[in-house]
Amino acid sequence: MSIGVPLLLRSLNPLAVAAGEDRPDAVTIDGVTLSRSDLLGAATSVAERIARAERVAVLARPSVTTVLAVVGCLIAGVTVVPVPPDSGSAELEYILGDSGAQAWLGEAPARTNLPVVPVRVHARSWHTYPEPEPGAPAFVLYTSGTTGPPKGVVLSRGAIAAGLDALADAWTWTANDVLVHGLPLFHVHGLILGVLGPLRVGSPLIHTGKPTPQAYADAAGTLYFGVPTVWSRIAEDAGAARQLADARLLVSGSAPLPVPVFERLRELTGHAPIERYGMSETMITLSTRADGERRPGWVGVPVAGVRTRICDESGEPVAHDGESIGGLQVRGPMVFDGYLDRAEATAECWTDDGWFKTGDVAAIGPDGFHRIVGRESVDLIKSGGYRIGAGEVENALLGHPDVAEVAVVGLPDADLGQRIVAFVVLRGAATDSIEKALIEQVAEQLSVHKRPREVRIVDALPRNAMGKVQKKLLS
Ligand code: MLC
Ligand code: AMP
């Protein structure tokens, strides 16, 4: 099926791609299916209501309301601040204050001082809006750093368009695909790749809700996205995994896909999964290709428009021999513009000659294949594909009156990649329920996925002669 006028393909109004054509099953989410014309009409009606705003917050539950809110903003040229729906009070207040969001669009949390603009699923408008400049900001996405609260990643419309087109090329993703995933809608993976991707390409999307193996199997799509935790659960459910044999591509990303999971998926589904690497700051920069080799433990080659290099601590280039490792640096049209209102933090992550320092350590083979070895800092944890800053969780725990000292680390976990563990020194004697109280404190302040899985009460934290906590000794 044709997906419209080529010029419109470049537009980030994702619905412009299919203007004039309909598709009855464009998006299925939370039990509701909308056609492309339903989406275009309802999202344009959202655009009419918010066109004069500059930046709005969207409580990003996986629902039609979220999809319409985001697409409505893109049509009107309003910047979206996706907010995790399980955000705790401190995180919510922080994101709203830092982003300067002027209103909630769609759903809003129970208590809020901001105006709330409703999204009406059955409203329709056919007004047309001019396409904003490619440099205009589309999203401010909040993501954790090693210390302090999350920073707002400003992604332009042009970056998103380039990032999605590069993936369509790498994965030969077309309107003939049916995309399936059950990822959250406040990150690059679930929202930008997982909602804007199919709208731009013209392929229907089925959002499964909780990404269980059976929900993935039942959706009977052609293209599947998942974080490694999702794939590892599928690999353990042979019946569900075998039902994916008819798919075209299984794609893993957001954290390393363990080699045994890769092998087991290949055995059960007949498909070697695609692995791709990215960040909120850069979208997806490396991937294996639909028409190329898929090598377990490796994330493939730069996608269209991307260049990479690895450098040692003094900034010198490291050999591409597949063994030598260095800090991975990237450049490309999908890289972000900077952290919102943080010139210093932004400057720190670029080299003088214009490369973005990812903070990941990698090796590059002579054939251009990349292997991600780990992160430079122990303070960025990846759990279930979520990025969590140790410092942020430590600050939330230090807010508890019984906590004297704390060190948060990510320990290896077969299901989650890493699990968040807090080592805590108490001010007094431990009570029976202290661990539970501390875990709840994090959920209340930050968000549910930032809760430690485990709290270990210790007498002291290991420190070096300078008094700095030796996190590598905590296991
Ligand atoms: C969790 N639970 C806890 C707990 N932590 N209970 C008590 N104490 C704790 N500390 C509860 C949960 O609420 C849940 O309850 C149950 O335990 C199971 O939790 P879980 O093991 O976390 O599983 P689940 O909720 O199913 O989550 C796994 C997951 C999720 C994989 C679905 O982690 C996920 O959606 N990850 C995706 C993250 C993502 O999209 N990252 C992309 C970043 S963008 P109940 O009652 O709910 O069952 C990026 C760029 C790129 O990285 O490259 O893509
Ligand atoms: P986020 O900010 O949530 O977008 O997380 C980005 C980080 O996830 C990267 O810096 C990597 O550490 C990690 N990551 C993403 N994809 C992969 C992958 N395929 N393999 C290893 N790490 C990955």
Side-chain angles (χ1 to χ4, degrees), residues 143-144 153 187-189 228 252-257 275-282 284 286 298-299 358-360 372-375 380 382 385-388:
T143 195
S144 300
V153 167
H187 282 312
V188 158
H189 198 165
S252 179
S254 302
L257 182 68
E275 186 163 7
R276 95 298 180 283
Y277 158 88
M279 292 183 77
S280 306
E281 287 89 337
T282 65
I284 308 311
L286 296 165
W298 295 72
V299 294
T358 64
D360 288 303
I372 307 295
V373 178
R375 283 213 59 95
L380 267 192
K382 267 268 155 164
Y386 285 116
R387 166 167 152 186
I388 299 132

Side-chain angles (χ1 to χ4, degrees), residues 352-410:
D352 291 343
D353 57 346
W355 293 73
F356 174 73
K357 297 187 269 183
T358 64
D360 288 303
V361 178
I364 305 180
D367 53 2
F369 256 58
H370 291 59
R371 180 163 59 91
I372 307 295
V373 178
R375 283 213 59 95
E376 279 164 3
S377 168
V378 290
D379 285 328
L380 267 192
I381 299 168
K382 267 268 155 164
S383 187
Y386 285 116
R387 166 167 152 186
I388 299 132
E392 208 185 335
V393 181
E394 286 162 0
N395 287 342
L397 290 169
L398 285 169
H400 192 284
D402 293 347
V403 174
E405 292 176 50
V406 61
V408 167
V409 294

